[in-house]
């Protein structure tokens, strides 16, 4: 009797490298289109399709699998590929370090081990239409299969990892999220520090003839996130980037930091493995590290006549990880709100008119703050077709938190606007939101925006 988990991997050149614009140019081995092609046949006699699994290090692994192959089976193939150097022993934490993700520009989903990626990709447009806020543009969505960090891996577990191959994968993913503005930092100095570490890892020791300010000006998009790498934005901020060499330019700060990193590999601080770990240690202290990201929108606070002429919806990212829930301004790469599970209450609401495409599900996020010396509760309404997915993830993490700390006394006095992390504190930017305010007895004592009409 033939085994159900038979699947064949294409050998020869199992690992191939893709440039940064590879996927954007449509050269990917997209899953949803391969299923419509004439099927190939493996030595089992059953039809197979060729797929690609992308790693954040810029390589992809191609293989031929049957259409009912599970994510766990594909994961095992990737993990056992000798050229990657990922042995079962290097991944032996309590929680798996990596997982398979299916992603497109409008939807990202971590797959369960029992999911069947080829079958899931065939109905990807349906899922995008259901969960994306930009469903009208979903016809061209082509999902890619990624080998990425497991959302359920805790930071404490990750900190125990020593294997350099695993750390390299985690570094590549962290770098991507920093440059995409997802791992929001507090101020340009932190981005300069991360960019300098990245430059030292990828370019080697500082060379005065090669690594000039003009060089980093030309390649700023490689080392700085998009909101610092945009020439028009930087000129608008008066940073002097129209002329290479402006002292206030982010790449100038990056270069100065880069010069300070020891140039001799004999130095403990210049060892490539040490530098990669240092980059990760920096990222571990960022609130959004390891989060799953969801698209949403909130009502923008406006006052006076502006309320009649200003677009009141603000596009945001909602980051959810083992630590809490975070609201990120994706355009400015700014963290607006951070809520730990110890202080968060939430509820999901379905749209009042499910037949109206403009009527979205939403999450109500409630959290306590000190206001004029009194304890009050703020409620933020987040609109998103992905609200059901967020509700499920928050429920799981919140339950884990309750199980871990059920016997711990919570300090009810620590309700200031600051959210403290190992790397420092973050102050919630409540002025950026349209909020409702309630007292301890549940009475509404403050309303803004559309809350005023309820």
């Amino acid at each position: 009797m033939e085994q159900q988990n038979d699947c064949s991997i294409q050998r020869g050149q199992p690992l191939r490298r893709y440039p940064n614009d590879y996927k954007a140019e449509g050269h990917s081995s997209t899953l949803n289109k391969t299923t419509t092609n004439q099927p190939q046949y493996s030595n089992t006699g059953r039809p197979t399709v060729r797929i690609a699994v992308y790693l954040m290090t810029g390589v992809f692994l191609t293989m031929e699998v049957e259409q009912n192959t599970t994510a766990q089976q594909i994961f095992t193939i990737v993990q056992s590929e000798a050229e990657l150097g990922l042995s079962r022993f290097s991944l032996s934490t309590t929680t798996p370090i990596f997982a398979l993700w299916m992603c497109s520009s409008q939807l990202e989903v971590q797959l369960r081990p029992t999911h069947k990626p080829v079958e899931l990709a065939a109905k990807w447009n349906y899922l995008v239409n259901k969960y994306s806020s930009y469903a009208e543009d979903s016809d061209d969505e082509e999902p890619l299969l990624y080998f990425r960090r497991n959302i359920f891996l805790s930071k404490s577990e990750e900190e125990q990892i020593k294997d350099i191959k695993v750390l390299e994968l985690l570094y590549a993913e962290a770098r991507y999220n920093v440059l995409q503005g997802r791992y929001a930092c507090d101020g340009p100095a932190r981005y300069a520090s991360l960019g300098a570490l990245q430059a030292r890892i990828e370019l080697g020791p500082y060379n005065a003839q090669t690594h000039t300010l003009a060089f980093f000006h030309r390649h700023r998009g490689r080392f700085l996130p998009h909101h610092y790498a945009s020439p028009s934005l930087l000129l608008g901020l008066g940073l002097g980037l129209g002329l290479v060499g402006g002292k206030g330019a982010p790449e100038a700060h990056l270069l100065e930091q880069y010069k300070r990193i020891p140039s001799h590999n004999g130095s403990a601080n210049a060892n490539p493995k040490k530098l990669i770990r240092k980059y990760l240690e920096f990222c571990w202290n960022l609130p959004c590290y390891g989060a799953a990201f969801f698209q949403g929108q909130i009502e923008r606070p406006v006052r006076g006549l502006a309320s009649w002429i200003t677009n009141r919806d603000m596009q945001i990212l909602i980051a959810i990880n083992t630590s809490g829930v975070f609201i990120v301004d994706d355009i400015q790469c700014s963290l607006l709100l951070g809520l730990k599970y110890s202080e968060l209450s939430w509820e999901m609401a379905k749209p009042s008119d499910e037949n109206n495409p403009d009527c979205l599900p939403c999450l109500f996020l409630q959290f306590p703050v000190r206001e004029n010396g009194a304890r009050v509760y703020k409620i933020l309404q987040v609109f998103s077709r992905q609200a059901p997915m967020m509700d499920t993830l928050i429920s799981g993490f919140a339950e884990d938190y309750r199980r871990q700390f059920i016997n711990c006394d919570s300090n009810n006095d620590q309700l200031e606007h600051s959210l403290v992390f190992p790397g420092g504190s973050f102050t919630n930017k409540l002025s950026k939101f349209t909020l409702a305010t309630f007292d301890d007895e549940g009475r509404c004592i403050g309303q803004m925006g559309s809350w005023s009409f309820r």
Side-chain angles (χ1 to χ4, degrees):
M1 181 175 177
E2 292 179 336
Q3 305 222 345
Q4 295 256 339
N5 61 356
D6 286 344
C7 49
S8 59
I9 181 170
Q10 180 188 355
R11 297 296 180 180
Q13 291 185 326
L15 290 185
R16 297 166 60 190
R17 181 163 295 276
Y18 59 89
N20 291 335
D21 58 351
Y22 185 89
K23 299 183 293 297
E25 292 178 355
H27 297 296
S28 58
S29 178
T30 53
L31 296 174
N32 60 341
K33 288 191 174 180
T34 57
T35 58
T36 63
N37 294 338
Q38 187 67 26
Q40 301 175 353
Y41 289 85
S42 65
N43 57 8
T44 65
R46 292 192 291 268
T48 63
V49 293
R50 180 171 296 180
I51 66 170
V53 181
Y54 290 87
L55 282 71
M56 303 305 289
T57 49
V59 300
F60 66 94
L61 180 69
T62 60
M63 64 186 78
E64 290 182 8
V65 299
E66 296 162 13
Q67 296 195 25
N68 64 349
T69 300
T70 66
Q72 181 60 53
Q73 291 168 329
I74 296 173
F75 180 92
T76 301
I77 292 174
V78 176
Q79 181 179 309
S80 62
E81 174 53 47
E83 194 172 342
L84 290 177
L86 300 174
S87 69
R88 291 180 184 273
F89 301 102
S90 66
L91 303 180
S92 58
T93 55
T94 304
T95 307
I97 299 172
F98 299 104
L100 285 186
W101 289 69
M102 188 166 286
C103 306
S104 66
S105 64
Q106 299 180 39
L107 185 62
E108 301 179 9
V109 179
Q110 178 173 312
L111 304 185
R112 298 192 186 99
T114 55
H115 274 139
K116 299 176 181 179
V118 176
E119 294 181 1
L120 191 64
K123 58 180 181 181
W124 190 252
N125 283 338
Y126 165 79
L127 295 173
V128 171
N129 278 317
K130 183 176 180 180
Y131 292 113
S132 172
S133 298
Y134 311 99
E136 64 274 7
D137 301 324
S138 66
D139 290 343
D140 295 328
E141 284 286 280
E142 297 180 355
L144 297 176
L145 202 56
Y146 282 95
F147 188 82
R148 295 189 349 189
R149 186 187 186 278
N150 181 3
I151 176 64
F152 300 105
L153 180 71
S154 68
K155 293 180 186 178
S156 60
E157 288 179 299
E158 184 171 337
E159 289 169 357
Q160 306 306 311
I161 298 171
K162 307 297 183 184
D163 190 284
I164 184 58
K165 293 294 185 181
V166 176
L167 292 175
E168 285 174 352
L169 285 176
L170 293 170
Y171 157 75
E173 186 168 346
R175 175 192 62 195
Y176 170 83
N177 283 312
V178 168
L179 295 178
Q180 290 296 310
R182 291 183 162 192
Y183 288 173
C185 293
D186 185 15
R190 292 180 179 269
Y191 285 117
S193 298
L194 284 169
L197 274 173
Q198 180 191 339
R200 180 62 179 82
I201 292 167
E202 299 175 10
L203 301 177
Y206 167 70
N207 182 316
Q209 282 69 45
T210 304
H211 304 134
T212 62
L213 184 55
F215 171 86
F216 284 107
H217 182 76
R218 289 194 306 271
H219 298 283
R220 58 180 174 265
R222 178 178 171 184
F223 301 102
L224 293 167
H226 63 78
H227 70 305
Y228 284 115
S230 169
S232 59
L233 174 60
L234 294 170
L235 286 170
L237 293 174
L239 296 179
L241 293 189
L243 298 174
V244 177
K247 292 184 178 180
E251 58 263 37
H253 294 298
L254 186 157
L255 178 57
E256 289 305 311
Q257 296 273 5
Y258 180 37
K259 289 178 181 178
R260 296 173 190 165
I261 300 176
S263 59
H264 300 292
N265 283 330
S267 168
N269 291 329
N271 180 284
K273 181 177 178 180
K274 295 283 187 182
L275 291 168
I276 286 175
R277 188 168 185 88
K278 188 174 183 63
Y279 188 100
L280 285 170
E281 287 173 352
F282 193 114
C283 292
W284 289 338
N285 289 329
L286 298 177
C288 294
Y289 183 79
F293 291 86
F294 302 88
Q295 298 171 347
Q297 59 195 66
I298 57 175
E299 185 177 354
R300 193 190 306 270
V302 290
R303 297 169 178 83
L305 291 176
S307 63
W308 297 100
I309 60 176
T310 304
N311 179 9
R312 302 175 70 182
D313 289 333
M314 175 182 178
Q315 301 299 324
I316 57 166
L317 289 178
I318 304 95
I320 302 172
N321 60 17
T322 56
S323 300
V325 179
F326 308 90
I327 306 297
V328 179
D329 180 346
D330 189 32
I331 302 300
Q332 297 299 323
C333 303
S334 172
L335 182 59
L336 303 179
L337 180 68
L339 302 173
K340 297 178 290 186
Y341 293 114
S342 59
E343 62 184 11
L344 171 66
S345 298
W346 80 99
E347 184 173 342
M348 193 198 81
K350 294 182 178 180
S352 55
D353 182 2
E354 296 192 22
N355 295 321
N356 183 353
D358 295 325
C359 194
L360 302 178
C362 67
L363 278 181
F364 291 98
L365 303 178
Q366 176 181 294
F367 52 97
V369 299
R370 291 280 183 198
E371 199 168 76
N372 299 322
R375 174 192 177 108
V376 297
Y377 295 89
K378 300 288 185 178
I379 295 182
L380 171 67
Q381 188 174 16
V382 178
F383 299 93
S384 175
R385 295 187 194 279
Q386 299 173 5
M389 302 166 67
M390 291 187 276
D391 178 48
T392 299
L393 193 56
I394 293 171
S395 297
F397 283 141
E399 181 60 31
D400 287 344
Y401 171 83
R402 282 192 289 269
R403 281 199 300 265
Q404 292 177 36
F405 299 100
I406 189 70
N407 297 320
C408 296
D409 292 330
S410 59
N411 187 344
N412 292 328
D413 291 331
Q414 294 182 354
L415 299 174
E416 303 300 331
H417 293 191
S418 293
L419 183 63
V420 179
F421 289 88
S425 63
F426 158 74
T427 301
N428 287 325
K429 301 175 177 62
L430 299 185
S431 63
K432 300 289 186 179
F433 300 102
T434 297
L435 302 166
T437 307
F438 293 81
D439 63 16
D440 262 332
E441 298 181 1
R443 293 179 301 221
C444 184
I445 58 176
Q447 300 167 316
M448 298 174 62
S450 61
W451 285 99
S452 303
F453 300 96
R454 300 181 185 188

